């Protein structure tokens, strides 16, 4: 692969999120966030969401890898790696500890000033997600989460505060991380981290998740319009989880099912990019007799706040079928459609199906759909690493995964004409896994000495993949 196929301005970077890296969960005036009440699960063991922070539980995000105190050392390592951008998020509850205050917490603002200065001093451009699974816990308790329209104003106030404060330090923004991961409404953890909805007995969960999702889309559009006023040079994108859903076979019903299942996920970027509610969704809501609230002023806001680019994560593909003889995980849409595994690809130890060609497929699909620049802001390989006695970590499997995906990315650019802004591999340094809460589901090119029980020295070590990526992106 010739890396010169990418433009000079191509952003080679690395990605993390505040709650998975920072720690310092109760320091500098930070409020409790929804990530602070998630216990450690494990491979195949779900994380629990507790009613507030309880004394006897282990909450892996409370300390994470202590980036809050060690960011200078880590930024120096990232500079040595040679990346030109670093994607992280701002922890909303550092800025507005409860979420509904009128005045921000200066100590929280100062932390990100220092972090961004440190990055810029090393020639690394910050790429910032406004909300990456970490809204203030108080917004769940007192307002019921994003089903409540008041959260739109709280989010806009928070965004206005940070976009104004960092207008000369941050140019690339994204609003809500993986906003579409709540799409099928069945994964409690995703619904929690995206929307923190407090359900009441008798609620139709799917209907309420759509209401919350639409409220977030409205909030996002308002922030895009606002950001343009704060600094017309801002590039403001959305952030989607693209997990392409292939038809299991060429049986016409399988083909149809794959479109229907994909539309449920595409709904979010359709609104972000086109500024209107798609007919397939309006029809679906009507069929289901969902009462989704929105005003004409909100529809105008959606139109006025379409995104500049599509940021997205890509880890894996999956498959859907309507065929009775294939085992699978049932999903609600398109009668009898289910998610199953792909016989042509292998999976990681966590069952994520490894499919580099699926990245090129996704880049094509999304670019054709929106004709907007694309930014791959997450891609990576969660694996068990072995720390050798001599202190090395020989993660050739991670190099294989990343290089195969980068090759497909190059093909999308050279053969398919896709406009690609950059690539920020996920978990550039080992962090707490979002889905499982483990430390030992590692993505990093930099190893952090800490285990699933929270034990370890937190020492940082360069893995084999560090040297490989450093070489690849060297100018
Ligand atoms: P973990 C599922 C599918 C695609 C992306 O995930 C996902 C998930 C969540 O399980 O989440 C993103 O740590 C997310 C990150 C997360 C990363 O993928 O569960 O934006 O916060 O850490 C990897 O292995």
């Amino acid at each position: 692969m010739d890396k010169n196929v990418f433009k000079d301005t191509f952003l080679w970077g690395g990605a993390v999120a505040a709650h998975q890296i920072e720690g310092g969960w109760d320091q500098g005036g930070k409020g409790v966030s929804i990530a602070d009440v998630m216990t450690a699960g494990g491979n195949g063991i779900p994380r629990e969401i507790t009613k507030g922070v309880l004394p006897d539980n282990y909450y892996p995000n409370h300390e994470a890898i202590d980036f809050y105190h060690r960011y200078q050392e880590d930024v120096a390592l990232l500079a040595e790696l040679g990346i030109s951008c670093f994607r992280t998020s701002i922890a909303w509850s550092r800025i507005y500890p409860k979420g509904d205050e009128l005045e921000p917490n200066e100590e929280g603002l100062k932390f990100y000033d220092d972090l961004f200065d440190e990055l810029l001093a090393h020639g690394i451009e910050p790429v910032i997600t406004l909300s990456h699974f970490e809204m203030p816990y108080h917004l769940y308790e007192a307002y019921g989460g994003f089903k409540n329209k008041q959260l739109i104003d709280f989010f806009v106030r928070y965004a206005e505060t940070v976009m104004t404060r960092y207008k000369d330090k941050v140019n690339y923004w994204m609003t809500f991380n993986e906003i579409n991961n709540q799409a099928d409404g069945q994964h409690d953890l995703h619904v929690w981290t995206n929307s923190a909805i407090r359900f009441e007995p008798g609620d139709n969960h799917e209907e309420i998740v759509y209401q919350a999702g639409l409220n977030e889309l409205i909030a996002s559009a308002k922030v895009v319009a606002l950001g343009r006023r704060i600094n017309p040079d801002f590039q403001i994108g959305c952030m989607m989880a693209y997990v392409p859903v292939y038809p299991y076979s060429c049986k016409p019903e399988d083909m149809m099912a794959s479109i229907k299942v994909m539309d449920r996920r595409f709904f979010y970027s359709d609104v972000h990019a086109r500024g209107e509610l798609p007919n397939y969704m309006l029809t679906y809501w009507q069929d289901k007799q969902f009462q989704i609230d929105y005003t004409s002023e909100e529809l105008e806001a959606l139109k006025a706040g379409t995104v500049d680019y599509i940021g997205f994560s890509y880890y894996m593909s999956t498959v859907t079928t309507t065929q009775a003889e294939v085992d699978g995980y049932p999903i609600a849409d398109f009668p009898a459609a289910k998610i199953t595994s792909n016989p042509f690809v292998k999976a990681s130890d966590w069952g994520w199906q490894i499919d580099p060609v699926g990245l090129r497929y996704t880049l094509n699909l999304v670019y054709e759909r929106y004709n907007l620049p694309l930014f791959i802001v997450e891609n990576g390989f969660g694996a068990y690493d072995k720390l050798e006695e001599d202190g090395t970590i020989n993660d050739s499997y991670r190099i294989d995964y990343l290089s195969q995906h980068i090759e497909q990315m190059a093909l999308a650019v050279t053969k398919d004409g896709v406009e690609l802004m950059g690539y920020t591999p996920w978990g550039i340094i080992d962090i707490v896994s979002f889905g499982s809460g483990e430390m030992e589901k590692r993505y990093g090119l930099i190893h952090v000495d800490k285990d699933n029980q929270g034990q370890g020295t937190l020492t940082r070590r360069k893995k084999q993949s560090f040297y490989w990526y450093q070489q690849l992106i060297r100018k």
Side-chain angles (χ1 to χ4, degrees):
M1 202 263 321
D2 174 12
K3 70 172 178 219
N4 296 320
V5 304
F6 302 105
K7 288 187 243 163
D8 283 350
T9 53
F10 191 84
L11 293 161
W12 289 105
V16 297
H19 73 283
Q20 288 169 272
I21 188 169
E22 285 175 7
W25 72 286
D26 60 354
Q27 296 185 24
K30 178 179 166 295
V32 177
S33 89
I34 59 169
D36 293 325
V37 300
M38 302 190 325
T39 63
N43 190 347
I45 306 161
R47 304 181 74 172
E48 274 170 48
I49 298 158
T50 58
K51 274 263 167 216
V53 174
L54 307 178
D56 296 328
N57 281 318
Y58 172 53
Y59 297 101
N61 300 81
H62 284 193
E63 184 195 47
I65 65 159
D66 196 33
F67 181 76
Y68 186 69
H69 297 107
R70 296 167 195 241
Y71 70 87
Q72 287 169 314
E73 178 195 345
D74 289 338
V75 170
L77 276 167
L78 296 173
E80 186 185 338
L81 180 59
I83 57 178
S84 50
C85 77
F86 181 58
R87 172 181 179 236
T88 186
S89 59
I90 297 175
W92 184 347
S93 67
R94 277 197 199 286
I95 311 300
Y96 287 98
K98 295 172 90 176
D100 57 358
E101 300 91 337
L102 295 175
E103 293 305 323
N105 168 35
E106 177 55 32
E107 228 182 313
L109 286 167
K110 175 79 171 43
F111 170 69
Y112 293 105
D113 262 323
D114 294 345
L115 171 61
F116 299 157
D117 288 343
E118 190 73 17
L119 287 165
L120 292 167
H122 285 83
I124 301 173
E125 169 139 27
V127 173
I128 298 303
T129 316
L130 287 166
S131 179
H132 192 130
F133 303 164
E134 63 236 76
M135 75 171 89
Y137 183 72
H138 176 74
L139 296 181
Y140 157 78
E141 278 204 314
Y143 299 89
F146 252 103
K147 69 177 178 185
N148 187 326
K149 295 252 180 211
Q150 282 177 274
L151 265 79
I152 299 176
D153 296 335
F154 299 148
F155 181 73
V156 172
R157 183 183 304 148
Y158 155 63
E160 179 164 22
T161 302
V162 296
M163 284 177 147
T164 306
R165 174 88 168 211
Y166 308 124
K167 69 177 180 351
D168 301 318
K169 298 183 184 179
V170 177
N171 208 35
Y172 294 95
W173 300 89
M174 278 167 274
T175 52
F176 292 95
N177 187 63
E178 293 191 337
I179 187 169
N180 63 325
N181 251 357
Q182 59 196 327
D184 64 12
Q186 298 190 40
H187 292 288
D188 293 345
L189 197 68
H190 285 305
V191 170
W192 174 252
T193 48
N194 276 301
S195 297
I197 299 169
R198 199 185 55 229
F199 291 107
E200 308 298 337
D203 274 352
N204 181 322
H205 286 212
E206 193 189 1
E207 178 177 19
I208 293 174
V209 171
Y210 274 122
Q211 181 68 61
L214 180 59
N215 292 344
E216 285 152 21
L217 288 165
I218 294 162
S220 170
K222 289 188 170 184
V223 164
V224 171
L226 173 80
R228 287 204 181 107
R229 290 196 294 277
I230 295 171
N231 182 347
D233 292 335
F234 278 173
Q235 292 286 311
I236 312 171
C238 57
M239 189 336 191
M240 295 282 292
Y242 285 134
V243 182
V245 186
Y246 302 152
Y248 182 77
S249 76
C250 52
K251 189 180 178 198
E253 283 77 5
D254 282 3
M255 297 297 296
M256 196 60 223
S258 87
I259 290 188
K260 295 303 279 180
V261 175
M262 282 294 277
D263 275 350
R264 294 162 65 106
R265 305 187 62 81
F266 267 136
F267 163 66
Y268 294 85
S269 45
D270 284 352
V271 179
H272 274 308
R274 296 170 172 157
E276 55 187 32
L277 300 174
N279 264 337
Y280 64 79
M281 190 53 78
L282 292 171
T283 313
Y284 181 72
W285 288 347
Q286 212 168 22
D287 282 352
K288 291 265 182 171
Q289 297 182 311
F290 288 168
Q291 303 291 322
I292 310 291
D293 266 353
Y294 51 88
T295 63
S296 53
E297 180 261 325
E298 290 175 337
L299 292 180
E300 284 306 312
L302 290 179
K303 261 204 184 69
T306 56
V307 292
D308 297 315
Y309 67 92
I310 310 277
F312 71 93
S313 67
Y314 177 84
Y315 292 91
M316 59 185 148
S317 62
T318 185
V319 169
T320 189
T321 181
T322 58
Q323 298 177 59
E325 63 274 19
V326 176
D327 288 339
Y329 169 73
I331 55 162
D333 202 15
F334 200 73
K338 41 197 175 178
I339 295 293
T340 186
S341 51
N342 184 337
F344 296 98
V345 303
K346 293 204 182 75
S348 78
D349 286 331
W350 281 261
W352 292 24
Q353 303 187 95
I354 306 161
D355 176 14
V357 176
L359 176 57
R360 180 177 177 190
Y361 173 84
T362 300
L363 287 163
N364 275 265
L365 206 62
V366 177
Y367 190 61
E368 288 170 13
R369 196 165 178 124
Y370 304 122
N371 199 27
L372 284 173
L374 307 182
F375 196 167
I376 302 168
V377 296
E378 287 185 29
N379 171 241
F381 191 54
Y384 295 107
D385 287 344
K386 183 156 183 279
L387 176 59
E388 305 291 346
E389 282 187 7
D390 64 0
T392 60
I393 300 105
N394 303 308
D395 56 343
S396 56
Y397 37 88
R398 184 167 294 109
I399 299 175
D400 290 345
Y401 179 99
L402 294 171
S403 59
Q404 286 163 16
H405 284 77
I406 292 170
E407 260 165 48
Q408 293 297 320
M409 198 166 99
L411 289 173
V413 170
T414 54
K415 304 285 179 205
D416 311 325
V418 168
E419 218 179 317
L420 189 60
M421 296 161 61
Y423 177 72
T424 61
W426 177 252
I428 194 78
I429 177 166
D430 289 346
I431 51 178
V432 177
S433 155
F434 158 68
S436 70
E438 294 163 287
M439 265 310 295
E440 292 168 51
K441 185 181 186 185
R442 300 178 184 278
Y443 287 86
L445 313 190
I446 300 165
H447 183 272
V448 176
D449 179 29
K450 187 171 178 179
D451 66 16
N452 287 345
Q453 289 70 46
Q455 305 303 310
T457 60
L458 291 172
T459 302
R460 276 65 164 150
R461 287 188 179 87
K462 295 169 224 167
K463 303 183 192 176
Q464 192 189 342
S465 55
F466 181 99
Y467 300 103
W468 162 81
Y469 193 56
Q470 184 185 49
Q471 187 60 35
L472 176 85
I473 67 180
R474 181 167 287 154
K475 287 238 160 72

